[in-house]
Amino acid sequence: MFVMAPTATFPILTRVLPLPSKIDAFGAPPMLTNAAKAGALDYLAVISTLFVILGFLMIFRNTLQGMGKAVIPMISSIVELALRAFAAIYLAAKLGYIGICYASPIAWVGGSAVVSGGYFWVVRRIGCRYLYNRRQVTVRGRR
């Protein structure tokens, strides 16, 4: 489901919503319009293929917040901000515009690593506590 939506949307955006050939909404000449269109298509190509990572990030983050664990998603947001700043500064100097296009997916990967690690840690702690309490009750004979 996550993979199908971006790959189905990309061809629609490139063919159904073309920019006018003579002049765009801001009065730019066709050469600038084509450059902006090419940049937008590059950005969509990079972002749309990596929305799966963003989906995992949102699932884990919202699950942790629903469990009442707000510190781990906050740390994840700080990691995302730091990675975006690093990618915008370093990759923009090395790769140019494509480096800036990859800044968000790099931040999503870093945030997903923090949040998924935190999620499995919390779930394991909850599970161990549940199993320990269950064994304790059955050993004592109370049910």
Side-chain angles (χ1 to χ4, degrees):
M1 180 76 171
F2 285 119
V3 177
M4 294 302 290
T7 54
T9 306
F10 186 70
I12 293 170
L13 287 175
T14 58
R15 289 188 182 89
V16 175
L17 301 172
L19 294 173
S21 59
K22 300 270 184 195
I23 228 171
D24 72 7
F26 302 108
M31 185 186 327
L32 295 178
T33 302
N34 291 336
K37 185 177 179 181
L41 292 178
D42 288 343
Y43 181 73
L44 282 175
V46 169
I47 293 295
S48 64
T49 56
L50 299 170
F51 272 142
V52 175
I53 298 168
L54 180 62
F56 285 120
L57 174 67
M58 292 297 149
I59 289 169
F60 285 128
R61 178 179 288 161
N62 293 338
T63 302
L64 282 172
Q65 288 175 342
M67 283 193 246
K69 309 293 183 190
V71 175
I72 297 169
M74 180 66 71
I75 293 170
S76 167
S77 297
I78 293 169
V79 168
E80 280 186 67
L81 179 65
L83 285 174
R84 268 197 187 96
F86 168 76
I89 293 169
Y90 182 74
L91 292 180
K94 296 293 181 186
L95 301 175
Y97 179 71
I98 292 295
I100 294 172
C101 292
Y102 278 104
S104 288
I106 289 171
W108 296 341
V109 168
S112 293
V114 172
V115 171
S116 62
Y119 169 79
F120 290 116
W121 178 70
V122 167
V123 167
R124 189 177 60 207
R125 259 186 48 205
I126 291 171
C128 288
R129 190 178 322 143
Y130 171 74
L131 290 175
Y132 177 73
N133 289 339
R134 187 170 177 191
R135 268 190 251 126
Q136 191 177 16
V137 169
T138 56
V139 168
R140 291 183 183 168
R142 293 184 230 155
R143 197 144 223 232

